[in-house]
Amino acid sequence: MSRSTVLRLVNALPEPEVSAPRVVGVDEYATRKGRHYGTVLVDVETRRPIDLLPDREASSLAAWLAQRPGVEVVCRDRAPFFAEGAAAGAPQAVQVADRWHLWHNLSEAAERSVAQHRRCLRVLAPPTSRPEPETAPAADSSSPWPTGHRFADRTRARHAAVHALLEAGHSRRSVQRQLGMAWHTVKRFADAAAPEDLFTGQWQNRSSVLDDYKPYLDDRWNEGFTNAWKLWEEIVPLGYKGSYQRVRAYLREKRTSPRPVTARPPSPRSVAGWILRHPDTLTEAEQLQLKSVRTHCPELDALTRHVRSFASMLTERQGERLPDWLDAVRQDNLPSLHTLAAGIDRDRHAVIAGLTLPWNSGVVEGHVNRIKMLKRQMFGRAGFQLLRKRVLLA
């Protein structure tokens, strides 16, 4: 038989009979990533998929749950449309926020907090003495422009060419024709005894629109941030009106200038990893570095305490401690954690249930990964009806 016949027969197969679920896990899957999503529902107790919905709207989930009044627990992530759908379709059910998503959200907030206090990480970079720069022979100590500057080198070359033709007996008109210069330019070069006499005027001591922002660029450079485009994007909101090329030229000069090889401080991501990992898994060097950071930065010390308190609350299933944890977070100057605390507070009951009950959405995430595999197997033929059949009959 043909491939189309096989697909038609698969579509005609009856759906498996499933018992009324008591604990339901819900999550989204992408039929076209970034544009269109569906919903997968899993019986968490039997670990089998129950149904697929063609969208992730709250109304669709509410209608599905309303037809199954025996649902007692709904495991979900913290997406608002799933929260609304579960509340509308199964008001009797306990909503449980997934613990992995809670820890993931805390990890992102912790990394942002460390990045906001990256200056504190400089204490981890060992001090190095800057070597004395080697004195290079200069063309002329009185010259305001060093050898190698494009304006200075061009001026010296044109001055030499003009005087060479004049010493060979050519007139100034002849020099003008041969070199393609204007009459006044030839006269100016001919009247100058040395090219250094021409280094006056607009090239010297001219202020730049970048001058007010060079201290900021220097600080960011010393922090190890050397991307010219990103730095230009950072100073534009501060009032910089100049071009990106001017910033790039300034950083190129810093990049090509001789400088000592110094050990860079650890990245905010690395320090956030030390904070998020269990203290027993850190090496002795990492423990000493984290201790140094906490000593020099009260905010990162408070962040470490809050993260470890949340980890203890999560692993020991002590959700009743969540209100006290939220109050403690709000007492410290940690804006990223304040944002996380505000989001948790809006979903407090589900988060407390997630930190207390044994249910989670891990099995649902596994089925989402399997749906990705089935979509790739049926590339070009993975319509919703066929995909639903394969997921339910697997």
Side-chain angles (χ1 to χ4, degrees):
M1 61 181 67
S2 67
R3 294 173 295 176
S4 298
T5 302
V6 172
L7 297 179
R8 187 170 62 254
L9 293 176
V10 171
N11 278 322
L13 289 174
E15 297 182 5
E17 296 183 2
V18 295
S19 58
R22 189 177 67 90
V23 183
V24 173
V26 56
D27 202 355
E28 62 184 17
Y29 68 92
T31 53
R32 188 172 183 181
K33 189 173 182 179
R35 297 193 179 185
H36 191 266
Y37 291 85
T39 302
V40 56
L41 297 117
V42 178
D43 188 335
V44 177
E45 292 181 307
T46 63
R47 308 180 71 85
R48 293 192 59 83
I50 306 173
D51 204 349
L52 259 67
L53 305 180
D55 54 46
R56 59 175 180 182
E57 299 296 330
S59 57
S60 301
L61 177 61
W64 189 92
L65 291 173
Q67 298 174 0
R68 295 162 179 82
V71 174
E72 300 177 6
V73 179
V74 177
C75 299
R76 58 172 177 81
D77 58 21
R78 296 178 56 225
F81 38 84
F82 289 150
E84 296 172 5
Q92 77 285 353
V94 176
Q95 298 187 36
V96 177
D98 184 54
R99 288 188 292 276
W100 183 90
H101 287 90
L102 291 173
W103 183 253
H104 180 66
N105 295 338
L106 178 64
S107 303
E108 293 178 333
E111 185 173 346
R112 289 195 299 269
S113 296
V114 176
Q116 291 167 358
H117 297 86
R118 60 168 59 89
R119 293 177 183 270
C120 300
L121 307 184
R122 296 179 184 177
V123 299
L124 302 181
T128 56
S129 58
R130 181 178 293 272
E132 294 295 332
E134 298 181 359
T135 57
D140 187 356
S141 59
S142 63
S143 172
W145 293 97
T147 301
H149 193 283
R150 60 191 183 99
F151 293 131
D153 292 346
R154 185 178 67 180
T155 301
R156 291 191 180 98
R158 298 174 76 181
H159 181 273
V162 169
H163 280 265
L165 291 176
L166 291 176
E167 291 175 1
H170 294 274
S171 65
R172 294 188 179 185
R173 290 292 182 184
S174 175
V175 173
Q176 174 189 354
R177 289 192 299 270
Q178 293 185 56
L179 299 181
M181 295 181 179
W183 164 254
H184 296 288
T185 304
V186 174
K187 181 179 184 301
R188 184 162 55 86
F189 276 93
D191 293 342
E196 285 72 24
D197 297 338
L198 301 168
F199 295 159
T200 58
Q202 61 178 345
W203 294 352
Q204 290 182 307
N205 302 323
R206 183 172 63 178
S207 61
S208 169
V209 294
L210 191 61
D211 289 343
D212 294 338
Y213 305 94
K214 287 181 179 179
Y216 177 84
L217 295 177
D218 293 340
D219 289 341
R220 297 289 279 131
W221 179 274
N222 294 332
E223 294 169 3
F225 199 85
T226 60
N227 188 302
W229 182 267
K230 295 294 184 182
L231 290 176
W232 173 72
E233 290 181 334
E234 289 183 11
I235 62 176
V236 167
L238 301 179
Y240 175 66
K241 302 297 183 182
S243 64
Y244 156 71
Q245 285 76 11
R246 192 179 298 271
V247 177
R248 184 181 62 178
Y250 179 69
L251 295 181
R252 185 192 301 117
E253 181 180 353
K254 297 174 70 67
R255 187 175 288 110
T256 57
S257 62
R259 60 186 183 274
V261 178
T262 59
R264 295 177 59 181
S267 65
R269 188 180 185 89
S270 299
V271 177
W274 301 343
I275 295 174
L276 292 164
R277 285 160 54 191
H278 194 282
D280 295 341
T281 65
L282 298 177
T283 64
E284 184 177 355
E286 291 171 343
Q287 291 178 2
L288 291 176
Q289 288 180 306
L290 180 57
K291 182 178 180 180
S292 178
V293 170
R294 296 181 64 180
T295 302
H296 289 82
C297 186
E299 289 81 6
L300 294 186
D301 180 59
L303 173 66
T304 305
R305 288 188 282 103
H306 293 318
V307 168
R308 291 181 175 177
S309 175
F310 191 90
S312 173
M313 178 171 54
L314 185 145
T315 55
E316 298 175 8
R317 307 252 185 97
Q318 297 176 344
E320 67 277 1
R321 293 167 46 193
L322 181 64
D324 295 335
W325 185 85
L326 295 175
D327 294 337
V329 165
R330 296 189 179 99
Q331 301 301 319
D332 294 308
N333 184 23
L334 296 168
S336 296
L337 282 193
H338 293 175
T339 303
L340 173 67
I344 290 178
D345 208 15
R346 290 192 295 268
D347 201 17
R348 176 179 294 205
H349 296 293
V351 174
I352 292 178
L355 296 175
T356 307
L357 302 179
W359 309 110
N360 65 75
S361 301
V363 61
V364 189
E365 296 292 344
H367 282 288
V368 171
N369 287 332
R370 190 166 65 87
I371 290 173
K372 295 178 183 178
M373 180 268 295
L374 294 176
K375 284 171 48 185
R376 287 168 174 79
Q377 283 185 343
M378 303 187 299
F379 179 77
R381 303 298 294 269
F384 172 73
Q385 295 299 331
L386 180 59
L387 180 63
R388 182 174 178 272
K389 285 286 185 180
R390 289 207 58 184
V391 171
L392 298 181
L393 296 174

